[in-house]
Amino acid sequence: MTVAKPLPHDAAHLHVTGQARYVDDIPTPKGTLHLAFGLSSIAAGRITAINLDAVRAAPGVVGVWEAKDLPSDCDCSPSAHDEPMLSGATIQYLGQPIFLVAATSHLAARKAARLGQISYAERDAILTIDEALAADSRFEDGPRIWEKGDAGEAIDTAPRQISGVIEMGGQEHFYLEGQSAMALPQEGGDMVVHASTQHPTEIQHKVAHALHLPMHAVRVETRRMGGGFGGKESQGNALAIACAVVAAATGKPAKMRYDRDDDFMITGKRHDFRIEYRVGFDDEGVISGVEFEQYTRCGWAQDLSLPVADRAMLHADNAYHLPHVRIESHRLKTNTQSATAFRGFGGPQGMLGIERVMDHIAHDLGLDPVAVRRANYYSAEVEGGVASAARTNGAALATPAPSAPPRSLSSKMKEQDIASRGSEELVENTGAEGAVAGQTTPYGQVVEDFILHDMTDRLLDGADYEARRAAVAEWNAGNAVIKKGLAFSPVKFGISFTLTHLNQAGALVHVYQDGSIHMNHGGTEMGQGLFQKVAQVAADRFGVPLEMVKITATDTGKVPNTSATAASSGSDLNGMAVKAACDTIRDRMANHLASLHQCDARDVVFADGQVRVQGETYSFARVAQMTYEARVSLSATGFYRTPKLSWDRIKGQGRPFFYFAYGAALSEVAVDTLTGEYRVLRTDILHDAGSSLNPALDIGQVEGGFVQGAGWLTTEELVWDQAGRLRTHAPSTYKIPACSDRPDVFNVALWDGRNREDTIYRSKAVGEPPFMLGMSVFLALSDAVASCGDGYPTLDAPATPERVLTAIERVRDGV
């Protein structure tokens, strides 16, 4: 059996030796043109004059395109058709592409792109959340509101109330491999595109639209990416379209890659958020009602902002049962880069809001924050809405099903895009129902698989929490300069695309005469080990060694209509699709052998590279040869669609998630109160990957996700100046965590459970959920700051040393 084994990444040796081939490593045909964009130098306004004569006359330049020269609008949007590749006369953000240059080399194209002479009529740019609110600049016609129960009444009648606000910044993806694409013109006007993308089908769709071609005339291939994190779900569209347009116009191959500075300036980042909260609770910290107002800075175009903001609302409860809750979400339009998908897809922002609430309650009551969190957990087991004997927050289970919240938006339908991720205005006839009485989320899904009670006990016992809590208090009492903080944070993360039709996958599997197996599926490899996991599934279905299985590049010509490798769904969807294809071929082989041996096909056993039937043993290769000679097909497609999903995003009701993945982290930090500098001393993590397909890869994902999440909340700060120019646009000014920033003691383990839902080998997704474990570092910093005085440290994210120092001063001054 190959599944559940901690096997190394299939391309690990290629990565470390430099042999792994990325788009920029593909040998280019003679005469390949290289492209670059000319970018705007203002954030908002109109172009009054443009002179590109110097660009056209620059050495090596072959062609220059403005918006009026393109074969279509060349829309790059994954959702609302509001993102033309080139700006035209209207400028929406500083760094927006205005014209396109094709030259004989990458350097020549970049140099020429800087020579454009452009005059503007500037207008005041909308850059911040406050400015967008003042101007009523937003996507959708008003706030989206979801409600359960009567939060206002519950808060007003609660024994205690608090309110507050937390600001959290965006985050740059900072993939090792930047955005890149190459287009190769074919006969008859067809196009082959190599793209560093998480969504080959969207590239196919957008290139076909730009060139007025049917999708069958465009083939997109992606072997691997050097990191994606959501930044290559939609942001690669512009490069692929540009290459295809130039290739179609000139008949020559075209290639484009962003330099790091251009990548920062052009592409979207994680969404900035502000979350205001008001909460009512009792003397034990049990929440009776809570109100959230979420403000999302979306940037200039819609991109994936609506589903991102939706998912922030969907995760506003995190691990906690909220009997009465109101969530109001504002999606604000600003003259900045169009914010886009990033690992967690809005979930981290929503979770950080409720985690701030838990810490604030604990501080107000003088209780251990872990005790407050445990008091608000969902029940340990809930079947069909009926709670187990575990604590159920008293009468909360009797909360009636909520009616649909007021419709604050017009019901006009907007143009939909087949590649979008849950951003339609309406989702009709989903069959989504209101919440049943029971332990339901704010959106009405019954939480049936809650395991954080046991996970919390095991993590805290193993990490010696009680003794360390006391030791931190003793340390802080005796040390005036260096303060320590210790904090725990849980994770409950929903797994599925919130746009139901994206929860599908296909696969194509061939068995050759010699027994070797060739496989394609719709998922993309960005370093996470998806190909390795899916190969392990295929090897297990046929009972052969892993080296018998080969997965090649993701290819829209082999597996059509793929969903993005996103929403942590890669292994779930593609693993099941490959399993279906393999089982089809294996059953054909078994039926053929059974007919030869006059027995039932169920008596044929595939294991250890051999096939046994009626006392006879064949090699798998021999059975493949025999089946081929009997003229039985050894090729099959597989298909999978996630079951049990039903979601109405307008009502905010239904079951958007197939299941939940869980995790828990405990982090300890030390803070220098004179400078605000800090170190992470120790982190202990217990994460739920179900019955892991590959524990080694999953632990790697947990470690990396945690570090990236901690980076978002600590060192990674995006700064725009008053003109709308991104000032942190290079490694010199934007700081991702380095190896030395990881915890000095870093203990990571996987929970020894299995998925109650019928996923591939009962595993669970592990791409996004570990990211939120990094919140424990932010909360530990807040805990350390709190030891400096009596006030609550309203620390914002990212908690840079400057912000930490400011928070320390506020706490000491009693502000």
Side-chain angles (χ1 to χ4, degrees), residues 57-73:
V61 170
V62 174
V64 179
W65 287 258
E66 298 177 53
K68 60 184 176 64
D69 303 318
L70 299 174
S72 67
D73 62 355

Side-chain angles (χ1 to χ4, degrees), residues 573-650:
L573 295 177
N574 297 289
M576 289 294 264
V578 165
K579 175 180 176 291
C582 292
D583 288 354
T584 297
I585 299 172
R586 186 194 62 193
D587 291 348
R588 291 173 188 164
M589 299 170 79
N591 285 328
H592 175 60
L593 278 184
S595 67
L596 295 178
H597 288 267
Q598 296 296 298
C599 66
D600 195 295
R602 289 173 294 183
D603 297 329
V604 181
V605 178
F606 293 75
D608 302 320
Q610 298 179 326
V611 184
R612 295 186 292 274
V613 55
Q614 295 290 90
E616 294 272 357
T617 300
Y618 302 90
S619 68
F620 181 81
R622 175 60 183 146
V623 174
Q625 181 72 27
M626 293 165 62
T627 307
Y628 160 72
E629 291 173 351
R631 296 186 296 173
V632 175
S633 173
L634 290 172
S635 177
T637 59
F639 182 78
Y640 175 74
R641 52 179 288 177
T642 309
K644 299 186 178 182
L645 301 179
S646 180
W647 173 237
D648 186 325
R649 70 172 293 264
I650 301 302

Side-chain angles (χ1 to χ4, degrees), residues 67 98 120 222 271 333 375 384 454 502 549 572 584 637 685 750 760:
I98 295 175
Y120 305 96
T222 301
H271 291 70
K333 183 176 181 179
D454 290 341
L502 295 181
V549 181
D572 281 5
T584 297
T637 59
I685 291 172
L750 298 181
I760 186 70

Side-chain angles (χ1 to χ4, degrees), residues 185-197:
Q186 309 292 300
E187 63 183 22
D190 289 3
M191 196 68 62
V192 172
V193 179
H194 295 274
S196 183
T197 178

Side-chain angles (χ1 to χ4, degrees), residues 402-744:
S403 59
R407 287 283 296 277
S408 59
L409 308 178
S410 71
S411 59
K412 64 184 180 182
M413 295 296 289
K414 297 179 180 178
E415 183 178 353
Q416 298 178 6
D417 191 308
I418 62 169
S420 66
R421 237 181 105 175
S423 56
E424 299 110 314
E425 179 69 15
L426 291 172
V427 183
E428 300 286 6
N429 301 319
T430 63
E433 300 176 353
V436 298
Q439 284 230 323
T440 62
T441 64
Y443 45 91
Q445 179 166 342
V446 179
V447 180
E448 301 174 319
D449 59 356
F450 195 81
I451 58 175
L452 272 170
H453 293 277
D454 290 341
M455 289 184 70
T456 300
D457 290 341
R458 184 180 301 181
L459 174 69
L460 297 185
D461 288 348
D464 202 16
Y465 173 74
E466 295 295 341
R468 290 172 60 200
R469 178 87 262 175
V472 166
E474 182 180 358
W475 171 278
N476 288 339
N479 290 271
V481 176
I482 304 298
K483 298 291 187 179
K484 290 185 178 181
L486 182 67
F488 165 83
S489 63
V491 169
K492 175 181 74 57
F493 191 79
I495 304 299
S496 291
F497 287 100
T498 54
L499 179 56
T500 303
H501 78 249
L502 295 181
N503 294 287
Q504 60 175 296
L508 175 64
V509 176
H510 306 311
V511 175
Y512 293 100
Q513 300 173 48
D514 64 354
S516 61
I517 300 159
H518 189 281
M519 179 168 53
N520 287 90
H521 58 77
T524 57
E525 175 64 48
M526 61 195 91
Q528 81 277 38
L530 172 63
F531 280 19
Q532 175 71 19
K533 285 185 173 182
V534 176
Q536 287 178 241
V537 169
D540 188 73
R541 303 316 293 175
F542 288 116
V544 299
L546 190 62
E547 55 267 23
M548 296 285 288
V549 181
K550 184 179 187 64
I551 300 183
T552 53
T554 309
D555 189 333
T556 59
K558 294 182 178 179
V559 179
N561 306 319
T562 61
S563 297
T565 305
S568 304
S569 64
S571 296
D572 281 5
L573 295 177
N574 297 289
M576 289 294 264
V578 165
K579 175 180 176 291
C582 292
D583 288 354
T584 297
I585 299 172
R586 186 194 62 193
D587 291 348
R588 291 173 188 164
M589 299 170 79
N591 285 328
H592 175 60
L593 278 184
S595 67
L596 295 178
H597 288 267
Q598 296 296 298
C599 66
D600 195 295
R602 289 173 294 183
D603 297 329
V604 181
V605 178
F606 293 75
D608 302 320
Q610 298 179 326
V611 184
R612 295 186 292 274
V613 55
Q614 295 290 90
E616 294 272 357
T617 300
Y618 302 90
S619 68
F620 181 81
R622 175 60 183 146
V623 174
Q625 181 72 27
M626 293 165 62
T627 307
Y628 160 72
E629 291 173 351
R631 296 186 296 173
V632 175
S633 173
L634 290 172
S635 177
T637 59
F639 182 78
Y640 175 74
R641 52 179 288 177
T642 309
K644 299 186 178 182
L645 301 179
S646 180
W647 173 237
D648 186 325
R649 70 172 293 264
I650 301 302
K651 294 179 180 178
Q653 286 292 297
R655 178 174 180 164
F657 304 124
F658 187 27
Y659 64 87
F660 296 101
Y662 297 90
L666 180 70
S667 290
E668 183 175 349
V669 302
V671 176
D672 184 338
T673 61
L674 300 180
T675 65
E677 294 174 293
Y678 47 80
R679 288 182 61 185
V680 184
L681 303 178
R682 175 176 172 177
T683 293
D684 296 83
I685 291 172
L686 183 60
H687 192 77
D688 165 37
S691 183
S692 174
L693 293 174
N694 185 315
L697 292 179
D698 285 348
I699 287 176
Q701 285 291 290
V702 173
E703 292 171 342
F706 165 82
V707 170
Q708 191 175 47
W712 165 52
L713 295 173
T714 57
T715 64
E716 298 187 43
E717 183 178 31
L718 292 165
V719 178
W720 284 264
D721 64 20
Q722 293 182 342
R725 181 180 299 277
L726 179 65
R727 288 298 184 179
T728 51
H729 56 81
S732 59
T733 49
Y734 184 84
K735 297 299 184 182
I736 63 173
C739 288
S740 58
D741 296 313
R742 72 188 188 281
D744 294 341

Side-chain angles (χ1 to χ4, degrees), residues 329-347:
S329 173
H330 299 257
R331 296 89 192 271
L332 302 172
K333 183 176 181 179
T334 56
N335 295 115
T336 52
Q337 290 86 350
S338 183
T340 190
F342 201 127
R343 197 174 193 171
F345 204 73

Side-chain angles (χ1 to χ4, degrees), residues 82-115:
D82 62 346
E83 205 171 326
M85 184 180 75
L86 299 178
S87 65
T90 303
I91 301 300
Q92 303 279 10
Y93 75 100
L94 198 155
Q96 184 172 10
I98 295 175
F99 61 91
L100 173 66
V101 180
T104 53
S105 73
H106 173 73
L107 186 59
R110 289 200 75 226
K111 286 184 175 181
R114 298 181 180 184
L115 300 178

